[in-house]
């Protein structure tokens, strides 16, 4: 029963990792940009939520109404003002620039908020749980988080395959020069993709901040979890990314159950095993002949 | 002489240090079909890319309805009514046939073309509307690429080597639809390796040789000898 509980907690945690990963894989898919600052942007979103909650005295979950559009606007501005200039045939410039951005965000947050770890308080919902029988109980908060993650992934899937914006994303991803010839302004499309990515980052950041303590330095580790979930799930597949996040979460939970020190190690080992046995990931998007 | 719809004057184009076009001039009038012929590497595709706004060239080297459009950006040139059917089709491989057409029409320019009309022109596309674009045969892909360009309701359509790699019967089939397309009131520039097809379709022909216009004239006045001389530079 203890193991069942462990796995259940791992699955719920996996939803959060899937959200770290979704934004990352979205922008890599659309514009081949590897965003090293992704983890730090998650932490930035958490701090924006902190400021919002302190200023307005609202519940952290409610602060999403504000944090999501703010992060989306930051994303659009960042892409059009800075990152679009780094894109080209060479993958290195965006890598270096986002690495620099990561350093700037970390140190900026350190200056503003000190290195003390903080946490968002979601109130009594944090300790509520639902008994599911057999002595097992699911926390309401983790359940909300997981449901949000599934909703975000399903929403992304719908947006990508059912809307004009999703078509524009996929067309631009396929062939940028021809997309331009069809009247798509790549600079704008990329801006929208980054805005969407950071909107997801905002949700992930708030959930992270409610779940555990955070400080300005924890971004890079979130980036690694995001990368691992993307690789485990297979690039280009939204539901694969969710599965990747869940596998990572379960592996970490099992590791922690065996020995508290093995928490992160178990996740990394699961990732390495997948990378060694199925480098294309567990659920790669079926590569249609081209 | 009627006012030209498209006027290219003294167009130079380069890829880095390599100059592909030297002082090319051409004009296309309303409703006219113009063919650009020439050997491989003569600069035909480059010329079309310049007109479509995909290359950095002098702004006033290309005038469309008297407005300079040289150097793009390409997405603004489309919104003015110029659409390119790129060499090698270049359909979006992860999109279905219908999604490819919809991307072509996403600017929402007014005009005679929509999904229904494109499907009437190329019925086979409607049968395969939900299939991934790469699953189509070469000829069907070419039809989809033409349909995708038409979806933006251009008044000037640029077709780059639409016969490339296709069987003669398929080429005839596609060229048979050209009159129906032109009848909707657009001008057409075709780049073509198949000289016979080009002379049959176009009223005015330009022959490029190593980035320069080597010969031009009414299709019916050009003799085979003149064309071979301009084509091969002998």
């Amino acid at each position: 029963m203890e193991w069942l509980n462990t796995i259940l907690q791992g699955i719920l945690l996996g939803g959060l990792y899937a959200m770290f990963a979704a934004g990352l894989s979205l922008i890599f898919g659309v514009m081949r940009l590897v965003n090293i600052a992704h983890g730090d942007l998650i932490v930035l979103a958490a701090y924006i939520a902190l400021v919002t909650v302190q200023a307005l005295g609202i519940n952290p979950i409610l602060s999403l109404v504000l944090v999501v559009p703010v992060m989306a606007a930051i994303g659009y501005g960042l892409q059009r003002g800075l990152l679009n200039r780094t894109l080209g045939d060479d993958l290195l410039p965006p890598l270096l620039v986002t690495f620099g951005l990561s350093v700037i965000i970390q140190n900026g947050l350190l200056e503003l908020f000190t290195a003390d770890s903080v946490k968002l308080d979601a109130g009594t919902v944090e300790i509520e749980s639902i008994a599911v029988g057999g002595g097992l109980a699911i926390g309401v908060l983790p359940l909300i988080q997981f449901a949000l993650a599934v909703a975000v992934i399903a929403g992304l899937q719908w947006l990508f395959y059912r809307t004009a914006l999703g078509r524009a994303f996929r067309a631009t991803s396929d062939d940028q020069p021809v997309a331009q010839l069809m009247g798509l302004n790549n600079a704008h499309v990329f801006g929208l993709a980054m805005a969407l990515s950071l909107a997801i980052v905002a949700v992930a950041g708030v959930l992270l901040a409610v779940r555990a303590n955070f400080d300005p330095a924890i971004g890079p580790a979130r980036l690694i979890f995001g990368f691992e979930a993307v690789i485990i799930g297979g690039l280009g597949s939204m539901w694969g990314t969710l599965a990747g996040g869940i596998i990572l979460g379960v592996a970490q939970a099992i590791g922690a159950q065996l020995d508290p020190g093995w928490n992160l190690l178990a996740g990394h080992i699961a990732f390495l095993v997948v990378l060694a046995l199925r480098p294309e990931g567990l659920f790669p998007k079926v590569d249609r002949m081209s | 002489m009627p006012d030209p719809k498209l006027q290219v004057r003294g167009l130079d184009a380069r890829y880095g240090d390599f100059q592909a076009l030297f002082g090319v001039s051409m004009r296309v009038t309303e409703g006219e079909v113009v063919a650009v012929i020439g050997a491989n590497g003569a600069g035909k595709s480059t010329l079309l890319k310049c007109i479509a706004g995909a290359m950095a060239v002098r702004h006033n080297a290309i005038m469309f309805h008297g407005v300079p459009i040289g150097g793009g950006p390409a997405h603004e040139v489309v919104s003015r009514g110029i659409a390119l059917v790129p060499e090698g089709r270049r359909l979006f491989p992860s999109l279905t046939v219908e999604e490819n057409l919809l991307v072509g029409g996403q600017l929402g320019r007014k005009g005679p073309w929509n999904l229904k009309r494109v499907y009437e022109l190329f019925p086979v596309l409607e049968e395969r509307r939900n299939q991934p674009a790469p699953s189509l045969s070469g000829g069907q892909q070419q039809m989809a690429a033409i349909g995708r360009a038409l979806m933006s309701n251009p008044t000037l359509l640029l077709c780059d080597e639409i016969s490339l790699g296709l069987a003669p019967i398929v080429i005839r089939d596609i060229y048979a639809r050209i009159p129906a397309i032109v009848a909707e009131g657009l001008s057409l520039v075709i780049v073509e390796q198949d000289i016979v097809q080009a002379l049959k379709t176009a009223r005015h022909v330009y022959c490029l040789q190593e980035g320069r216009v080597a010969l031009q004239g009414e299709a019916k006045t050009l003799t085979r000898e003149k064309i071979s001389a301009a084509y091969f530079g002998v």
Side-chain angles (χ1 to χ4, degrees), chain A residues 160-162 164 166-168 170-186 285 288-290, chain B residues 52 54 73-75 78 82 84 86 90-96 99-100 102-104 106-107 132 134-135 148-149:
Chain A
F160 253 67
Y161 291 97
R162 292 281 178 273
R167 265 200 313 270
R170 286 183 292 140
T172 307
S173 166
D174 276 352
D175 194 330
Q176 287 182 24
V178 175
Q180 196 107 19
L181 286 171
M182 298 300 135
L184 291 168
N185 179 359
N186 289 351
K285 194 172 69 179
R288 300 188 182 115
M289 55 176 184
S290 49
Chain B
H75 62 92
V78 200
I82 299 181
L84 173 67
R90 302 274 290 268
L91 294 174
F92 300 112
S94 66
L95 273 58
T96 64
E99 285 176 328
N100 266 282
L102 289 172
V103 168
Q106 48 92 30
L107 279 177
S135 71
R148 181 178 65 176

Side-chain angles (χ1 to χ4, degrees), chain A residues 39-283:
Chain A
D40 304 291
L41 288 162
I42 293 172
V43 179
L44 176 68
Y47 274 103
I48 293 178
L50 180 74
V51 172
T52 311
V53 167
Q54 283 174 349
L56 304 178
I58 54 175
N59 190 287
I61 303 293
L62 201 62
S63 77
L64 282 173
V65 181
L66 216 83
V67 181
V68 168
V70 166
M71 286 303 286
I74 291 175
Y76 188 85
L78 192 64
Q79 187 66 37
R80 299 237 30 188
L82 178 68
L83 296 177
N84 272 344
R85 295 160 205 266
T86 69
L87 293 175
D89 296 331
D90 194 353
L91 276 176
L92 198 57
L95 215 56
L96 292 175
V97 169
T98 55
F99 181 72
L101 202 60
S102 154
V103 174
I104 292 170
I105 294 173
Q106 278 181 49
N107 286 284
L109 291 175
L110 193 62
E111 283 296 319
L112 283 171
F113 298 98
T114 77
D116 294 349
S117 64
V118 283
K119 188 180 168 302
L120 288 185
D121 185 3
T124 53
V125 69
E126 282 190 21
I127 46 167
E128 281 171 19
S129 65
I130 306 165
V132 287
L136 274 187
I138 301 177
V140 170
L141 195 61
L143 201 60
I144 292 175
Q145 292 176 347
F146 187 76
L148 265 176
V150 173
V152 163
I153 299 281
L156 268 183
Q157 183 80 13
W158 172 81
L159 184 132
F160 253 67
Y161 291 97
R162 292 281 178 273
T163 69
L165 181 61
R167 265 200 313 270
F169 282 156
R170 286 183 292 140
T172 307
S173 166
D174 276 352
D175 194 330
Q176 287 182 24
V178 175
Q180 196 107 19
L181 286 171
M182 298 300 135
L184 291 168
N185 179 359
N186 289 351
H188 178 62
V189 172
F190 292 167
L192 292 178
M194 187 55 91
L196 184 60
S197 170
L198 291 206
I200 301 165
V201 155
V203 181
V206 170
L207 295 188
L208 175 75
V210 171
R211 180 183 178 88
N213 286 343
F214 62 97
D215 63 68
I218 65 160
R222 310 310 113 178
L223 173 72
I224 302 282
F225 295 159
F227 270 136
E228 289 182 344
V230 173
I231 306 281
I232 293 172
L235 260 181
S237 156
M238 300 291 170
W239 295 113
T241 299
L242 181 62
I246 289 174
I247 289 169
L248 187 63
V250 170
Q252 286 187 0
I254 290 175
Q257 182 70 22
L258 292 172
D259 181 322
W262 291 355
N263 179 358
L264 297 184
L265 182 66
H268 296 326
I269 288 174
F271 159 71
L272 286 175
V273 167
V274 171
L275 198 59
L277 299 180
R278 275 183 71 99
E280 74 277 22
L282 296 178
F283 310 98

Side-chain angles (χ1 to χ4, degrees), chain B residues 181-204:
Chain B
I181 296 172
V182 177
E184 292 294 348
L186 50 69
S187 309
L188 181 64
V189 177
I190 53 169
V191 155
E192 192 48 83
Q193 295 260 13
D194 183 339
I195 297 172
V196 180
Q197 196 61 263
L199 292 177
K200 216 159 56 184
T201 314
R203 196 174 77 193
H204 204 94

Side-chain angles (χ1 to χ4, degrees), chain B residues 39-50:
Chain B
N40 267 333
K44 309 183 297 293
S45 295
T46 304
L47 175 60
L48 289 200
K49 275 199 246 168
C50 289

Side-chain angles (χ1 to χ4, degrees), chain B residues 69-231:
Chain B
I69 58 160
H75 62 92
E76 280 174 20
V77 173
V78 200
S79 64
R80 291 179 186 279
I82 299 181
L84 173 67
V85 181
E87 184 179 1
R89 280 87 74 169
R90 302 274 290 268
L91 294 174
F92 300 112
S94 66
L95 273 58
T96 64
V97 173
E98 183 152 304
E99 285 176 328
N100 266 282
L101 296 177
L102 289 172
V103 168
Q106 48 92 30
L107 279 177
R109 264 177 64 87
K110 298 255 177 304
W113 295 102
N114 51 38
L115 272 182
K116 186 166 163 284
R117 290 294 319 279
V118 170
Y119 286 148
E120 279 168 17
L121 184 69
F122 300 117
V124 66
L125 295 183
E126 185 164 23
E127 289 163 31
R128 313 205 160 217
R129 60 200 286 179
N130 292 322
Q131 291 187 15
S135 71
L136 299 186
S137 73
Q140 290 163 352
Q141 286 191 28
Q142 192 63 70
M143 294 173 193
I146 295 172
R148 181 178 65 176
L150 288 175
M151 285 292 287
S152 71
N153 277 303
T155 57
L156 175 65
L157 181 65
L158 313 169
C159 291
D160 197 352
E161 305 248 9
I162 48 181
S163 62
L164 193 73
L166 300 181
I169 184 163
V170 179
I171 299 173
R172 271 204 300 281
D173 192 26
I174 290 176
Y175 269 95
R177 323 285 169 98
I178 296 271
I181 296 172
V182 177
E184 292 294 348
L186 50 69
S187 309
L188 181 64
V189 177
I190 53 169
V191 155
E192 192 48 83
Q193 295 260 13
D194 183 339
I195 297 172
V196 180
Q197 196 61 263
L199 292 177
K200 216 159 56 184
T201 314
R203 196 174 77 193
H204 204 94
V205 177
Y206 289 82
C207 184
L208 290 186
Q209 188 201 334
E210 289 173 7
R212 293 178 171 86
V213 177
L215 175 74
Q216 60 144 317
E218 297 284 309
K220 52 180 179 285
T221 66
L222 296 180
T223 63
R224 199 155 270 273
E225 291 69 36
K226 270 191 194 162
I227 291 176
S228 340
Y231 211 91

